[in-house]
Structures are given as C-alpha cells and as structure tokens.
Amino acid sequence: MKKYLNLASALIASFQPKSRNSQIDACGQSPLTQEQQQALMESLFASLTGVGYSGKAHLIWDGGQDREREIFTALMRNEPIFLYRLGTRPTPTVEGYVWRLIGEHPSLRLYQLEVEAEAE
C-alpha cells in the first residue's frame, strides 16, 4: 500500500510546474560542518551547471531511512538525485536504479542515482 501512495504522490508532483531557479533540496540529517556542507553544495552546483542543468536537484543524507517517496517524486519530475553515504554502503534504492559513486568528489561518499544498465 505504501508503494502505491508513494507512486501516487510522485505522479501528482510530476504535474506541478518545475523550478527555473537552480536549487538543491536536502533530505535527512547532515553529519558535516557548515563549511563542509557549503563546499559540497558548491561542488554539486558546479557539476549541474557544467552540464547545462538548471532546476531542482535533490541531496539525500543517507542515514538508512526509506527515501522511496522522495526518490519517486524526483524521478517523475526528471530531477537529479544525489546521495551522501553515512555508513559503509549506500542504502538500496528503487528497483531498476543504482547509486553510482561520483569518484571526482574527494569524500568518496557522494553518489548519483542512475538507471541500472541491463546485462547482456
């Protein structure tokens, strides 16, 4: 039932107008200092603007909570989703998607949600 509610709320959100301003919505509790958070956000903004994206993006502070609703909503709106890993491994995501490590970030804890490649 919860999955259907998440899907319904994501579908409704997909019909809402998209933001034209660049912003990153954070979800969860950050373990970083204010300066570290600022540096991370600046890095994400630079990456997004570097590929010509302007709009809303999402950052999940991965404390192990179920973030399926936020993920579905962002996916329905075609908005990028990032995850900052707090534990030893990222929390599993929705079926058909994987967390890809962003190796360019010095913390090696930053991931981006991508469609899972089909095995041949």
Side-chain angles (χ1 to χ4, degrees):
M1 182 69 169
K2 180 181 166 193
K3 188 171 199 157
Y4 295 116
L5 289 174
N6 289 341
L7 189 55
S9 68
L11 185 60
I12 291 168
S14 71
F15 292 115
Q16 296 174 346
K18 291 189 177 186
S19 173
R20 291 186 180 169
N21 298 330
S22 293
Q23 68 182 66
I24 299 175
D25 281 353
C27 193
Q29 196 67 24
S30 170
L32 305 178
T33 66
Q34 191 66 27
E35 294 80 24
Q36 291 171 323
Q37 285 183 50
Q38 182 69 27
L40 177 62
M41 293 299 186
E42 288 173 3
S43 172
L44 287 176
F45 273 118
S47 295
L48 292 169
T49 55
V51 295
Y53 181 81
S54 66
K56 186 186 282 188
H58 304 270
L59 173 63
I60 298 172
W61 301 106
D62 185 21
Q65 301 91 341
D66 178 17
R67 298 291 183 191
E68 190 172 275
R69 182 176 184 175
E70 291 88 351
I71 291 171
F72 273 133
T73 300
L75 288 174
M76 294 293 288
R77 295 176 58 88
N78 201 25
E79 296 169 341
I81 307 167
F82 300 96
L83 177 130
Y84 189 90
R85 175 178 50 85
L86 302 180
T88 56
R89 294 177 183 225
T91 300
T93 186
V94 295
E95 187 176 330
Y97 292 86
V98 295
W99 292 114
R100 181 188 60 83
L101 178 66
I102 300 175
E104 300 84 30
H105 194 268
S107 72
L108 295 179
R109 292 178 169 268
L110 191 60
Y111 295 78
Q112 182 172 6
L113 189 67
E114 292 185 349
V115 176
E116 188 172 24
E118 294 183 22
E120 297 191 26

